[in-house]
Amino acid sequence: MKWTIFFLIGMILGIVPDAHDLINRAVDAVSIRDLLQISDLSELSNFWNSLNNIKYDTGRLLIGKTGGSIWSKATIPKNDEWTVEFVFRSSGIDKDLAFGDYNGLSLFLVEDKTSNTANFGGPDKFDGFQFLINTKEKQGLKIFANDGTKKVENSLSDSIGDCQFVYLNSQVPFNMRISYSEAQSIFKVQIDNNLCFKTDKIKIPNKLKLGIAGNVSPASEEMFEILKLKTWDYMTEDAIDDHGLMSDGELKIAYKTVVEDRNQISTPAQIRESLHEKNRKFQEQLAKDSTNEFDRSITFDSSRYNEIIQQNNRLQSRLDSLETILLNLQKDNGQVVGNDKTLENFQNTITTQYAELLESIARLNQKVISEVREQQFTIDELGKKVDLLMNHHKEIKFQNDKPINTYEAASNTIRYILFVIVFIVLLLAIFVYRLRHDIKHSKLL
């Protein structure tokens, strides 16, 4: 028991790795590294193959007009249970609704990939699943299953499931989670922790590879951003817990369990707001505040950073409390925990809370990075506008400061006056001539 207590203390202090980290090491080959920790796409080449024109830019992978894709070299270690989380964002706006036949982002789970890119940057024939984000027929997600013998047409009638949500004009990313358990007969898809699709009729016999592919029409300015792809060889807590139903882009209280006839109804466990959902709402508020501030002036709102700092302090306080509890347990030599069952429950609680704390801290850091990036972008845009105004001002000043040639102006004026005088003299001469002629004529008469 003494060694167990030392292990728990070491886990809190970071001396020994988290229990989840021990499992995660087995799936690094099918998870994309933290994109904030790399500087070039080539750093992913050990485990991933990139095709066409997928690019890396400051913590994200970008897929634009020429399309692109990235494919795992390895398969998911287990085929009987796993979870995949995919975080993405689109820069598209309302006018991109017209490009539903061309713009799309797909996550593939396939037995093997091909070089074909006719299906939104990925293969139109594959053995596995395609999870397509686009605006064709409905804006949101369509799920396709294929055995590799036919081409996918990407229509709702050919999909095995779908859910509608608005991802255009969004300033925040979306989290798509796909999970599978053969023992529990579960295959489900969640969007931001809300259930989108679920069935007990799918069995996956083989290990699958992961791929992300996208395509954008040359006439569109939409850009797809890939922020995270992580894989576990078990069903995570969030994958097991359904917080609500995605239906027509809204959260419902009950969800539909999708089977072959799609008629079976079930009620979820108690709906609660997860850390991810809180983070989502907080990011939406940050984006809204940032937009309003740009209309008024470019300033930093310190209250938002104070809130982030306060949350981080609260998380640190919880870690300190857990450390204190474990130190007291060490002194009492296990007297607080009276039996093995209680100790086991306590160990599970500590492990779960510590994992949640680490995840929350990572999300808070991501919020700060995203906010700084947005503010930097805003300042750059303002700088461009200031430069444009300065250039315009210089041009006007140059025109106003251009010297006037007074000599040339005086010469032109004198010419005009002389011309008028000569013209008047000619008129007088003609008048005198006519007058004399008339006088002579009168004398003759």
Side-chain angles (χ1 to χ4, degrees), residues 399-418:
Q399 293 177 354
N400 292 337
D401 293 344
K402 185 176 181 181
I404 300 175
N405 193 333
T406 56
Y407 176 78
E408 183 179 355
S411 300
N412 292 334
T413 304
I414 293 173
R415 288 193 190 97
Y416 293 142
I417 294 173
L418 291 175

Side-chain angles (χ1 to χ4, degrees), residues 1 12 30 36 54 77 91 107 127 131 150 201 208-209 255 266 276 287 296 326 330 334 336 339 359 367 403 429:
M1 184 172 181
I12 293 296
V30 281
L36 291 172
I54 188 169
S91 66
L107 175 65
D127 188 359
F131 304 86
K150 58 183 183 296
K201 301 299 182 182
L208 301 176
K209 291 184 177 181
Y255 65 81
S266 180
H276 181 84
R296 298 191 300 269
L326 290 174
Q330 181 184 6
V336 176
N339 53 60
E359 186 70 17
K367 293 176 193 175

Side-chain angles (χ1 to χ4, degrees), residues 109-124:
L109 284 165
V110 295
E111 188 170 349
D112 199 6
K113 67 178 180 67
T114 66
S115 58
N116 188 333
T117 60
N119 181 14
F120 294 96
D124 55 4

Side-chain angles (χ1 to χ4, degrees), residues 380-391:
D380 291 342
E381 290 296 317
L382 180 61
K384 292 178 182 177
K385 293 183 178 179
V386 171
D387 291 340
L388 182 62
L389 289 174
M390 290 297 295
N391 292 334

Side-chain angles (χ1 to χ4, degrees), residues 182-205:
E182 180 179 341
Q184 302 178 53
S185 298
I186 292 176
F187 183 86
K188 68 163 67 173
V189 181
Q190 298 162 294
I191 302 294
D192 288 342
N193 284 341
N194 300 311
L195 183 62
C196 167
F197 172 85
K198 183 177 181 180
T199 180
D200 58 358
K201 301 299 182 182
I202 290 179
K203 183 176 181 180
I204 302 176

